[in-house]
Every structure is written in C-alpha cells, then in structure tokens.
Amino acid sequence: MYALTIDNLTKTYDNGFDALKGISFSVQEGDFFALLGPNGAGKSTTLGIISTLVNKSQGNVSVFGWDIDTHARMAKQYLGLVPQEINFNQFEKVEDILITQAGFYGYSRHRAKTQAHTVLQQLGLWQKRRDRSRDLSGGMKRRLMIARALMHQPRLLILDEPTAGVDIELRHSMWHFLQQLNEEGTTIILTTHYLEEAEQLCKHIAIIDEGKIVRDSDMRSLLNEINQETFVIYLKNSLTETPDVPEFALNLIDEHTLEAVVLEGQNLNTLFQCLTDIGLEVVSLKNKSNRLEQLFLRLVKEDGR
Amino acid sequence: MDAEPRYGFTQIAMALYTIVYREIHRFLRIWVQTILPPAITMTLYFVIFGSLIGSRIGQMDGFDYMDYIVPGIIMMAVINSSYANVVSSFYGAKFQKHIEEMLVSPMPLTIILTGYVIGGVARGLLVGLVVTLTSLIFTDLNIQYPLLTFAVVLLTAILFSLAGFINGIYANSFDDISIVPTFVLTPLTYLGGVFYSISLLPGFWQKVSHLNPILYMVNAFRYGILGVSDISIPTALGIILIVIALLFSYCLHLLHIGYGIRT
C-alpha cells in the first residue's frame, strides 16, 4: 500500500511563480523517503500541499488512499508534520503544547497526558515538561516539534529539515530515534540539506529541482550510478611531487596528502598495492565528499543545462 | 484503506473543548491584562460620567443618569473584550504560526471558528459580569427582563467575537489589530447611545444613528435592564441575528479559501 501518492501536482503562486510543474511520485508504506533539492526547488511547497497548508493549483494527493480534497479529514488523521520553522506557542509550557495538539486529534485530556509523558520521555524532554517552550534550547525546540507531531501516533511522518541547526550529537540521536520509529512501522518523508543524513537514513529518494522531479529511485541503485569516487589519502611519508601511478589519477595536495580518483571497476586494494609498491605508507583515508552529494550536484547541474 | 472513520462526533467535541480550554486558560492566565483593565476603565466611567457629571445632568428617559448609562457601559466592556480576545489570540496564532497545528489536524474549520468565538464570548461575559458587579457600588440594578438581557449580551459577544476573528484573519501586523478598535469600534460604541438617548439628537442624526449596529445592541440591553429603548426590540434582535449569520458565513468563507493562513 502507498502511504502517499502524488499525481501531476502543480503549484503556481499568486505572483506567477511556478513552484511545482506537475510532479508525481509515490511513497510505499514503511518507507523512509528523502525528498531532496536545492533551495527553492519546491520541497517545502510539496510538503505544504500534502499537509494542506498550501493550496495546490492542480493534481491529486492521497494519503493512505484518502484524497486530501475529498477525504481531508481521513487523510489528515494519518499525517504528522514537523515543519521547517519553529511554530509552537512560545508562551505555552512544553507539556501543554503536546496535550493541546492531541486534543485537536480528538484525544481526551487524560489520554493526551499519558501519550505526552511517553513522547516526552522518548525524546528526552521529560525534565523540561513544565518549562515554557521559548526557554528551550534550539535542539530541544526541534525535539519538541517532533514530539508534537507524534502525539496522535501518525502513520506518515513528514519532516521538513528536522535537524537544521542542530549540533552533531543531537543530530545523531535524532537519526537513531527516527530509524527506530521507521522500524516500528511509521512511514517517514524527510527533506534535508545534509545529504549524509539522507544517505544514512533513507531507503528511497526523489530529487526535485525547479519544480520537477529529476530522479526518483531507491537509494542503493542511485548510489550505484556513481562511476567514480575521490578519496583523500594521508601518508606517513613526505612527498615533494605527485607519485607516478598510471592506474589512478593522483594529485598531491600537500607533502603528506594525496587525492586519488577511483573509477567504477577499480578498487582500493589495487590503489593501496600500487602505493605500497612505490614505498608509500597510508595512514588513513576519507571520501573527499559524500557520495550522494556528488550525485546530487551532478543531477541538479544536468537539470539546469 | 481504513474504512472506519476514527474522527467522529466525540473527537470533534474533544477538539472543540481543547480550543475553548486553551482560549479561556489564556485570558485567565493574563487576567491583569484582560480582566482588570476594563474593570478599572469602566469604574472610571461610573465615577466621572455617572457620579460627577451625571449629578448635574439629572434624568434621562425618566432614569437617573447613572442608572441610564450602566447598561451601555456594561455593553461597551463586553463588546471591547470579546473583540479583543479573538483578534489578539487568532492573530497571535498566525504570527507565531501555531495556527498550523490546527490547520493540519482533521478538525473541521467550523470547530476552529466556534472555539475562538466561545473563547471571545467567555471573556466578554466575564468582563461584563465584573463590570456589572462594579456598577452595584454606584447603583441598584433591577433587571426588568433577565432572559432578554442575557440573550442580548450573549448575542453581542458572539457578534463581536466573529468581527474580531475577521480582523485577525486580515491583520498582517500588530498595528492592524488595533486600527479597527481605535478607529471604528470605539467611535461606533460612543455614538451607539451608551451615554445618551438618540431622542436628544436632531432628526437627521437620529436617522444616521440607526445605521450604527451598536445602537441596537445597547438599546436592546438597556431595555432588558431598565425597560426603556430608543428602538424596537424585535428589530434589534433581528438585526443582531442577521449580522451574526453574515459574519459567521464570511468567517467560514475566509477559512475555506485559506485567506491569510494558507498560501
């Protein structure tokens, strides 16, 4: 079953800007789906339309089979939204925000309170439950946004850049939490500018650029399309010029650092062997850039041509 | 597809209760800003216009001036408070964007509107009650028609809560939520027969006064308390009900098209 189906969706704003030019894609139930794109590509507009905060111009959207136009109430029950901007009442207490949110979904105050306690503990906000939301740190506000979206136990969770501006430790703990949530059956749609995040978490990916979907596939096959990778290699030896290794394109960055391009079909063992043969000892290596990032830039560039 | 709807009457009632609870809790939490100021202002009206100036004016429509202005002053407090509650709360929700919490939920738009209106009515009636109790320091209130009195004050609070909602939808800044009360509501209230009987006005201005909807509310309320009015009560009630129906429909229309809240 599809958790989300989008068919030929268009959006033209009042100023004439075509934010979406007939996009179509589907998200399977249980998927962890990344919707990526540069700024202004149409990601937030798409999520806004799904959550009914943005009026669409044309096309159809259905959530678990329920059309958002004809069966909005049914569709909305399945949906949890974590928007990009902090949008809770800054004067309310953390616990009250959660209880109120559940109330909008028809929860009694007693039931909402029980659910709030569960979610607060899951997201590490229990100690802050009686604090005013405006007094929370940036990371805690982000977690509160997620907690609020989970209050009615949605089957489809939409996260619009949930880790923007969050420190690395918290980002990793949020990744862990979201992965767990997904494993428990919640379908997740994520937009992010951290491509490492998408690569780490998501099973499927759609790339949107200038209001069009330029790629929609599963993560594994997308990454398989990468036909070369660039590695930064740290050497024990000191070099004055780029070593001559005909099999690989090498570039000397500084006396202890080399850059090596490994093409599809080549492997790192061969590279290490070649370096060892000429007396070089590798201390460590890393990817020059994230693999998905390389692909993303290529696809967006191709679309722009 | 889940064939069984989970968001039925009980859930809708709970959603409405949630908004009403939040709205009432909000204005009670900041009672120093919401309840106390109108009580102080209206007490000053009683002292200055009722006691000091009123003693020189004498009688109006057969009543002491203090007795005559009490219904109008209570009504003025109800009008201002119910309007202010909805416009500030709804615009605040728009400004902080937490209006989106409600818009993404399955709650019907009618419930959102009703919840805000009940919040406005609650504050209007509470302030009205406080001002009424304050007025007892200055005069004895012998309410002639209690049911009519309550009906008029309730309908007036509903009407101005709806008006406040429209202002909240159209407002794009905090300035916009004070323009209407300052330049429209206050003049109409003062010219709506709070402090005088329109029979004192020349014929032309009496006719002009009939275009002021607040005149009907103040007079219907005064009739409920004192038993005297410048206008016909059925006409007043009819006009109030028609205006409420028009405003309610317009509010729902604005919500449906998403004016100011959806892009």
Side-chain angles (χ1 to χ4, degrees):
Chain A
M1 171 166 214
Y2 286 115
L4 176 74
T5 311
I6 288 182
D7 182 31
N8 201 25
L9 190 64
T10 65
K11 171 66 185 176
T12 305
Y13 284 101
D14 291 342
N15 61 6
F17 174 67
D18 292 320
L20 297 177
K21 299 166 182 165
I23 64 165
S24 301
F25 65 88
S26 302
V27 179
Q28 280 283 354
E29 184 175 7
D31 203 350
F32 205 136
F33 188 94
L35 182 63
L36 305 180
N39 286 330
K43 303 184 297 291
S44 293
T45 300
T46 306
L47 301 189
I49 291 172
I50 298 167
S51 52
T52 71
L53 291 174
V54 175
N55 293 325
K56 62 188 168 66
S57 301
Q58 275 181 343
N60 296 303
V61 177
S62 57
V63 178
F64 284 98
W66 298 99
D67 189 282
I68 61 159
D69 292 326
T70 55
H71 295 88
R73 206 179 295 171
M74 283 306 294
K76 284 173 167 187
Q77 287 178 66
Y78 294 104
L79 210 65
L81 174 71
V82 180
Q84 205 177 109
E85 279 182 71
I86 303 291
N87 73 339
F88 43 69
N89 189 335
Q90 304 277 329
F91 301 104
E92 278 187 39
K93 290 178 183 168
V94 168
E95 190 177 24
D96 291 342
I97 287 172
L98 300 185
I99 292 172
T100 300
Q101 178 72 12
F104 295 151
Y105 286 80
Y107 281 44
S108 67
R109 285 190 73 78
H110 175 72
R111 191 178 161 210
K113 212 165 182 173
T114 309
Q115 173 67 3
H117 289 181
T118 307
V119 174
L120 283 166
Q121 278 164 343
Q122 280 176 333
L123 281 144
L125 290 167
W126 177 250
Q127 301 297 330
K128 299 284 177 184
R129 67 191 183 282
R130 296 209 173 95
D131 289 11
R132 277 180 200 271
S133 59
R134 67 175 168 185
D135 297 331
L136 298 180
S137 67
M140 282 178 177
K141 284 179 180 169
R142 285 272 159 213
R143 277 188 276 166
L144 177 56
M145 299 273 281
I146 296 176
R148 187 183 58 180
L150 294 175
M151 277 302 290
H152 63 286
Q153 297 161 297
R155 283 170 62 186
L156 173 59
L157 181 65
I158 296 177
L159 302 145
D160 195 359
E161 298 185 29
T163 55
V166 165
D167 70 50
I168 200 138
E169 191 189 350
L170 181 58
R171 195 182 305 161
H172 280 268
S173 85
M174 277 164 89
W175 288 359
H176 177 70
F177 178 76
L178 293 173
Q179 262 169 334
Q180 207 176 344
L181 201 66
N182 180 244
E183 281 162 18
E184 286 164 8
T186 307
T187 310
I188 299 179
I189 300 176
L190 170 85
T191 77
T192 180
H193 284 295
Y194 303 115
L195 299 186
E196 180 200 356
E197 183 168 276
E199 187 178 342
Q200 175 97 7
L201 296 173
C202 299
K203 300 170 193 163
H204 279 84
I205 187 168
I207 296 177
I208 185 169
D209 188 32
E210 295 182 353
K212 290 177 288 182
I213 297 286
V214 294
R215 183 56 59 96
D216 178 7
S217 81
D218 65 282
M219 186 68 79
R220 194 181 295 267
S221 31
L222 193 69
L223 292 175
N224 283 343
E225 285 181 26
I226 299 171
N227 52 17
Q228 67 172 49
E229 274 190 88
T230 307
F231 292 93
V232 178
I233 299 166
Y234 299 98
L235 302 167
K236 192 172 183 181
N237 319 62
S238 179
L239 299 175
T240 51
E241 57 182 34
T242 307
D244 184 27
V245 179
E247 293 92 332
F248 295 94
L250 300 179
N251 184 27
L252 187 66
I253 305 298
D254 62 44
E255 59 179 7
H256 288 287
T257 315
L258 270 179
E259 213 174 77
V261 176
V262 180
L263 300 172
E264 197 177 3
Q266 294 182 316
N267 63 55
L268 286 173
N269 278 345
T270 320
L271 175 64
F272 288 149
Q273 191 57 57
C274 292
L275 294 174
T276 309
D277 289 347
I278 56 173
L280 298 177
E281 195 178 332
V282 175
V283 176
S284 65
L285 93 164
K286 65 167 190 179
N287 276 87
K288 189 184 178 189
S289 61
N290 174 270
R291 294 183 300 162
L292 187 58
E293 198 169 299
Q294 292 174 23
L295 196 70
F296 174 82
L297 290 171
R298 199 184 80 204
L299 288 168
V300 169
K301 226 178 263 176
E302 275 172 8
D303 184 56
R305 277 205 292 267
Chain B
M1 200 186 294
D2 190 347
E4 191 183 337
R6 293 180 292 164
Y7 202 83
F9 178 79
T10 313
Q11 285 74 21
I12 290 173
M14 199 49 70
L16 177 62
Y17 171 76
T18 302
I19 302 181
V20 172
Y21 180 91
R22 185 172 74 170
E23 285 303 293
I24 293 176
H25 190 254
R26 187 191 73 88
F27 75 71
L28 288 179
R29 192 182 64 221
I30 49 170
W31 64 273
V32 177
Q33 297 167 45
T34 54
I35 310 294
L36 197 59
I40 292 172
T41 308
M42 298 308 154
T43 304
L44 290 172
Y45 280 124
F46 289 137
V47 172
I48 296 164
F49 291 102
S51 294
L52 302 178
I53 299 174
S55 60
R56 292 167 183 257
I57 292 174
Q59 292 210 320
M60 181 93 50
D61 276 356
F63 291 89
D64 283 347
Y65 189 64
M66 173 66 90
D67 293 341
Y68 187 82
I69 64 169
V70 163
I73 287 175
I74 294 170
M75 196 52 106
M76 189 157 72
V78 171
I79 288 171
N80 289 337
S81 297
S82 47
Y83 188 94
N85 195 70
V86 179
V87 71
S88 60
S89 180
F90 190 77
Y91 179 70
K94 250 177 65 171
F95 181 76
Q96 292 191 60
K97 290 183 179 281
H98 61 86
I99 183 80
E100 291 175 1
E101 293 173 347
M102 287 183 274
L103 297 176
V104 300
S105 80
M107 186 170 29
L109 296 173
T110 323
I111 296 299
I112 297 178
L113 176 59
T114 308
Y116 273 97
V117 169
I118 293 175
V121 169
R123 177 165 153 193
L125 293 186
L126 182 61
V127 168
L129 181 67
V130 169
V131 174
T132 304
L133 293 175
T134 311
S135 75
L136 294 177
I137 300 169
F138 302 94
T139 183
D140 296 323
L141 273 184
N142 295 309
I143 301 172
Q144 300 297 310
Y145 307 104
L147 264 181
L148 175 70
T149 305
F150 183 71
V152 173
V153 77
L154 179 68
L155 291 173
T156 303
I158 292 173
L159 191 152
F160 281 95
S161 295
L162 289 165
F165 195 87
I166 293 172
N167 191 174
I169 286 184
Y170 278 106
N172 288 316
S173 69
F174 282 101
D175 290 339
D176 292 344
I177 66 172
S178 61
I179 285 174
V180 175
T182 307
F183 294 104
V184 181
L185 212 53
T186 305
L188 284 181
T189 309
Y190 285 140
L191 297 170
V194 170
F195 296 105
Y196 58 88
S197 164
I198 60 162
S199 61
L200 298 175
L201 299 173
F204 173 75
W205 291 110
Q206 280 189 35
K207 284 178 184 157
V208 171
S209 292
H210 279 92
L211 298 173
N212 179 359
I214 293 177
L215 177 80
Y216 297 90
M217 296 163 217
V218 169
N219 272 279
F221 189 63
R222 181 174 286 136
Y223 182 80
I225 292 178
L226 302 178
V228 295
S229 169
D230 290 334
I231 43 103
S232 128
I233 300 308
T235 307
L237 289 175
I239 286 174
I240 295 170
L241 287 169
I242 288 169
V243 175
I244 285 175
L246 290 175
L247 292 181
F248 190 83
S249 308
Y250 191 58
C251 285
L252 272 187
H253 167 70
L254 291 174
L255 282 175
H256 275 294
I257 62 170
Y259 189 93
I261 51 176
R262 288 194 171 101
T263 47

